[in-house]
């Protein structure tokens, strides 16, 4: 509780020179100062009471990291290793060798980064799971690190992997062994030597979005009643090498339209050898370099030759796209 100002205060000193006849006015001024000070302190007290912590903080979350289990999984239970990181142990080691020397993992801080192997494991664990199964808190508890470390590790590995893009993504030369092996593989699968020049396969899928987009969400609503992004990928059937892709179209966009964004669509004259083509399903346009099955005409029927062609093409596409879907979309 405040008390009235001391007689030695500047306010009273200034007023001491006044005559005794003004004593009542001086008292009113002092009372006014006093009341205003009390109001200001009461206001500050109310603000402090609103902002202060009214309970003791919770006990810190105990950490029980499981990263050490990956070593055991890699040596004795590779199926559990794949379940956690979605890659084989050998592939994990290959990726680690490719990115370990990237400058993103170097700094001059007094707090050193986590080992690159741990950062890669955190990234692959997050990338291989979806939605509530891999929240930041879940990843932090699994790895025994903070939420901020999970975010930093993910961002660093993404930077390192994207810098490897041009090294691994691209079309092989026309006279390369990849094209020769693809021709030989297709001839063996189809038992039709005339079809051996179908050295590529294309298909599309959708990648589900975790939440409804804030802008233009209607265009992301796909035929499966989900909000998603469209993805097109072109592979070589003999080794599942991805040579071209397109990513980013809304999920409602048709495969035939999204296919136009791929490099193979725009530069097929130079990328494909002469008299070579891509296998596709009925969603894609028919061209000399893109072979889908015949579509049944409206109010009409397919000819006998067209049905025969579709029958044999379906056996090719079934085998190729079964492998394709298992490799890309699971």
């Amino acid at each position: 509780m405040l008390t009235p100002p001391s007689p030695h205060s500047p306010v009273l000193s200034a007023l001491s020179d006044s005559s005794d006849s003004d004593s009542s006015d001086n008292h009113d001024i002092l009372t006014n100062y006093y009341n205003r000070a009390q109001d200001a302190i009461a206001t500050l007290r109310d603000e402090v009471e609103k902002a202060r912590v009214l309970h003791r903080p919770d006990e810190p979350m105990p950490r029980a990291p499981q990263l050490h289990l990956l070593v055991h999984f890699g040596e004795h239970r590779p199926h559990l290793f794949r379940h956690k990181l979605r890659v084989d142990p050998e592939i994990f080691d290959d990726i680690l060798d490719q990115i370990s020397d990237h400058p993103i993992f170097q700094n001059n801080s007094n707090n050193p980064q986590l080992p690159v192997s741990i950062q890669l494991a955190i990234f692959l664990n997050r990338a291989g799971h979806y939605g509530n199964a891999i929240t930041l808190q879940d990843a932090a508890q699994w790895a025994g690190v903070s939420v901020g470390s999970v975010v930093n590790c993910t961002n660093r590995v993404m930077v390192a992997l994207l810098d490897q893009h041009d090294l691994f993504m691209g079309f092989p030369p026309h006279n390369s062994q990849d094209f020769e092996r693809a021709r030989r593989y297709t001839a063996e699968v189809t038992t039709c030597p005339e079809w051996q020049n179908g050295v590529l396969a294309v298909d599309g899928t959708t990648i589900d979005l975790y939440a409804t987009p804030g802008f233009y969400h209607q265009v992301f609503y796909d035929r499966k009643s989900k909000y998603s992004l469209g993805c097109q990928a072109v592979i070589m059937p003999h080794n599942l090498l991805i040579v071209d892709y397109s990513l980013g179209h809304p999920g409602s966009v048709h495969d035939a339209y999204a296919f136009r964004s791929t490099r193979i669509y725009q530069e097929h004259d130079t990328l494909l050898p002469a008299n070579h083509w891509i296998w596709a399903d009925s969603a894609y346009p028919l061209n000399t370099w893109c072979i889908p099955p015949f579509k049944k005409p409206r109010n009409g029927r397919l000819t006998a030759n067209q049905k025969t062609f579709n029958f044999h093409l379906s056996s090719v596409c079934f085998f190729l796209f079964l492998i394709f879907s298992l490799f890309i979309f699971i």
Side-chain angles (χ1 to χ4, degrees):
M1 184 63 110
L2 286 178
T3 57
S6 168
H8 301 289
S9 66
V11 176
L12 290 182
S13 299
L15 295 174
S16 61
D17 296 336
S18 302
S19 62
D20 293 339
S21 61
D22 296 334
S23 60
S24 59
D25 293 338
N26 294 339
H27 183 269
D28 293 340
I29 293 175
L30 291 174
T31 302
N32 186 34
Y33 274 110
Y34 177 71
N35 292 335
R36 289 170 59 185
Q38 278 193 316
D39 292 341
I41 292 175
T43 300
L44 291 174
R45 183 184 66 246
D46 293 341
E47 293 295 328
V48 171
E49 289 181 350
K50 292 179 182 179
R52 71 180 180 178
V53 179
L54 300 181
H55 64 277
R56 300 179 67 179
D58 297 332
E59 290 294 325
M61 176 69 70
R63 294 181 178 179
Q66 303 180 34
L67 285 172
H68 63 281
L69 297 177
L70 293 177
V71 178
H72 174 80
F73 292 162
E75 295 177 355
H76 304 288
R77 293 174 172 81
H79 66 285
L80 294 178
F81 190 96
R82 289 192 298 270
H83 177 73
K84 281 296 182 182
L85 304 187
R86 302 298 182 179
V87 297
D88 290 325
E90 296 79 9
I91 301 301
F92 179 89
D93 292 338
D94 290 341
I95 298 174
L96 183 61
D97 291 340
Q98 289 291 332
I99 67 174
S100 293
D101 296 332
H102 195 280
I104 194 69
F105 300 115
Q106 311 296 327
N107 60 17
N108 296 322
S109 173
N110 293 327
N111 297 322
Q113 295 185 19
L114 292 170
V116 181
S117 58
I118 293 180
Q119 298 194 52
L120 178 60
I122 292 173
F123 169 81
L124 292 176
N125 187 35
R126 293 192 67 195
H129 297 80
Y130 174 76
N132 292 332
I134 193 65
T135 62
L136 286 174
Q137 290 77 12
D138 290 335
Q141 293 176 16
W142 174 77
V145 298
S146 66
V147 170
S149 295
V150 171
V151 174
N152 291 336
C153 292
T154 303
N155 293 340
R156 294 190 194 107
V157 174
M158 282 195 295
V159 170
L161 290 177
L162 289 175
D163 281 350
Q164 303 287 324
H165 178 278
D166 294 342
L167 182 61
F168 292 96
M169 189 66 61
F171 274 85
H174 293 177
N175 58 353
S176 66
Q177 291 185 355
D178 278 326
F179 269 116
E180 180 59 32
R181 291 170 181 169
R183 283 189 288 266
R184 188 163 56 247
Y185 180 86
T186 305
E188 293 174 358
V189 171
T190 62
T191 66
C192 181
E194 289 78 8
W195 284 15
Q196 65 177 340
N197 287 350
V199 293
L200 298 173
V202 61
D203 200 4
T205 189
T206 55
I207 300 174
D208 295 341
L209 298 176
Y210 177 68
T212 303
F215 296 97
Y216 307 107
H217 60 88
Q218 298 89 343
V219 299
F220 293 92
Y221 197 73
D222 60 28
R223 59 185 178 84
K224 298 179 181 178
S225 302
K226 297 179 180 180
Y227 295 97
S228 63
L229 290 175
C231 174
Q232 299 286 313
V234 181
I235 67 167
M236 304 196 79
H238 72 289
N239 60 1
L240 304 181
L241 175 67
I242 301 176
V243 297
D244 194 14
Y245 68 93
S246 172
L247 179 65
H249 284 286
S252 62
V253 172
H254 195 273
D255 282 342
Y257 183 84
F259 183 46
R260 299 179 184 180
S261 300
T262 60
R263 186 184 174 199
I264 189 66
Y265 183 92
Q266 301 170 4
E267 305 176 24
H268 54 84
D269 290 336
T270 58
L271 296 177
L272 286 174
N275 300 320
H276 285 64
W277 62 85
I278 302 175
W279 300 112
D281 61 28
S282 59
Y284 294 85
L286 173 63
N287 290 288
T288 56
W289 54 271
C290 183
I291 306 299
F294 285 100
K295 300 177 184 178
K296 183 179 179 181
R298 183 175 297 179
N299 301 325
R301 295 181 178 180
L302 295 176
T303 66
N305 289 336
Q306 290 173 336
K307 291 180 180 179
T308 301
F309 179 88
N310 285 356
F311 174 78
H312 292 284
L313 180 58
S314 65
S315 62
V316 178
C317 291
F318 173 79
F319 187 79
L320 293 178
F321 295 130
L322 176 61
I323 300 176
F324 181 81
S325 62
L326 290 174
F327 181 73
I328 301 294
F329 305 136
I330 291 182

